[in-house]
Amino acid sequence: MEIKPYSHYVESEILPLYKAVGWSNYYEHPEMLRGAYQNSLCVLAAYEDNTLVGILRAVGDGASILLIQDILVHPQYQRRGIGTMLMCAALERYETVYQIQLMTDNTEKTIAFYKSLGFRPIQEYGGVGFVKMC
């Protein structure tokens, strides 16, 4: 498994990955996804035998705030530590950032995954999160 920066957006490999995990808002709006990648602070990719099997996309200023916007691993490659490798690579790259945030599904699986990486629910810090979907 190779984790490396994803420097060239290739729609023919990105869209099938998002489709495989069912993130329809992205694969149904490829122009939005293309723009999102162009404006991201960091995109890391996981490759196995030159096949894209996972991606992590982060936005923010890289100093005070980092938002892990997307982290996905193709279902055929899940439960092999790829998501952990992607997250660890991002956390290492931005180890001095004051605040790292993410939003995820409220499932036992995702909660356990992010807690294992040192993340805590915002309520533990006395905060509350808000979102506006357009």
Side-chain angles (χ1 to χ4, degrees):
M1 187 63 49
E2 181 181 16
I3 306 295
K4 63 182 182 180
Y6 189 76
S7 54
H8 294 90
Y9 182 82
V10 180
E11 196 165 271
S12 62
E13 67 180 359
I14 288 290
L15 289 182
L17 183 58
Y18 280 84
K19 194 165 192 167
V21 298
W23 290 13
S24 61
N25 191 49
Y26 287 119
Y27 65 78
E28 290 176 356
H29 302 97
E31 67 287 342
M32 177 187 67
L33 186 59
R34 190 178 316 108
Y37 269 74
Q38 290 169 350
N39 293 306
S40 294
L41 177 65
C42 172
V43 181
L44 299 174
Y47 286 94
E48 184 169 279
D49 299 325
N50 295 319
T51 300
L52 180 68
V53 298
I55 204 90
L56 179 146
R57 187 170 70 84
V59 297
D61 60 28
S64 68
I65 186 79
L66 184 75
L67 173 68
I68 306 298
Q69 178 59 36
D70 298 345
I71 179 170
L72 55 152
V73 176
H74 193 286
Q76 293 178 348
Y77 294 87
Q78 291 178 3
R79 309 294 302 164
R80 297 186 191 180
I82 297 168
T84 299
M85 286 187 277
L86 285 165
M87 284 294 294
C88 288
L91 294 174
E92 182 179 316
R93 178 178 266 207
Y94 294 101
E95 65 185 343
T96 62
V97 171
Y98 172 69
Q99 187 179 98
I100 301 173
Q101 300 178 2
L102 60 87
M103 286 180 40
T104 190
D105 296 330
N106 189 8
T107 66
E108 286 184 35
K109 179 181 165 182
T110 57
I111 291 168
F113 174 70
Y114 291 112
K115 280 187 171 184
S116 76
L117 293 166
F119 287 84
R120 297 288 171 250
I122 195 168
Q123 296 87 346
E124 290 185 17
Y125 296 101
V128 63
F130 294 91
V131 64
K132 181 180 181 213
M133 305 290 277
C134 298

